[in-house]
């Protein structure tokens, strides 16, 4: 894996009323993230990705287009970005592993 100098949280929110349609679109986006090779964790409201900043930005830029592959409805994308040039970013595991047994 590339140096971890960034993490992003991303929420893809299709503007659909049909729950199965929302899940279908989000599943397609998550499959794209999975195939990207970066470490990620899916949460109830957003997914967190970690890795090289430039690779994560390329993934983030692609997500609206990835959603558009399977739908023509509007899709909102919300993100949070944490980046340090020196690579001193807390990993997903450091942030969340202590809660896994709860």
């Amino acid at each position: 894996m590339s140096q971890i100098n960034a993490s992003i949280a991303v929420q893809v929110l299709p503007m659909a009323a049909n729950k199965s349609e929302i899940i279908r679109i989000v599943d397609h986006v998550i499959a794209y993230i999975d195939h990207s090779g970066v470490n990620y964790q899916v949460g109830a409201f957003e997914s967190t990705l970690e890795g090289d900043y430039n690779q994560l930005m390329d993934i983030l830029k692609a997500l609206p287009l990835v959603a558009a592959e399977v739908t023509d409805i509007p899709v909102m994308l919300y993100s949070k970005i944490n980046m340090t040039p020196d690579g001193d970013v807390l990993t997903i595991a450091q942030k969340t592993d202590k809660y896994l047994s709860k």
Side-chain angles (χ1 to χ4, degrees):
M1 179 170 42
S2 302
Q3 176 188 13
I4 296 175
N5 68 349
S7 60
I8 64 172
V10 61
Q11 178 187 33
V12 175
L13 185 59
M15 299 286 98
N18 181 312
K19 291 177 186 174
S20 63
E21 180 68 359
I22 292 169
I23 291 169
R24 183 183 73 82
I25 296 164
V26 171
D27 284 349
H28 181 73
V29 171
I30 292 170
Y32 174 83
I33 293 169
D34 184 59
H35 287 110
S36 74
V38 300
N39 189 40
Y40 71 99
Q41 183 177 71
V42 175
F45 291 99
E46 64 188 14
S47 295
T48 305
L49 294 68
E50 63 187 6
D52 174 71
Y53 175 78
N54 289 322
Q55 182 182 16
L56 295 179
M57 292 304 99
D58 288 343
I59 293 167
L60 186 62
K61 287 188 316 189
L63 295 183
L65 300 173
V66 170
E69 292 173 355
V70 295
T71 188
D72 60 356
I73 64 167
V75 175
M76 302 296 289
L77 187 131
Y78 301 95
S79 69
K80 297 177 261 188
I81 301 168
N82 180 24
M83 185 271 203
T84 60
D86 64 3
D88 191 22
V89 173
L90 289 172
T91 65
I92 293 170
Q94 289 170 316
K95 294 175 185 176
T96 63
D97 279 1
K98 63 186 172 190
Y99 300 108
L100 293 179
S101 64
K102 296 186 182 225

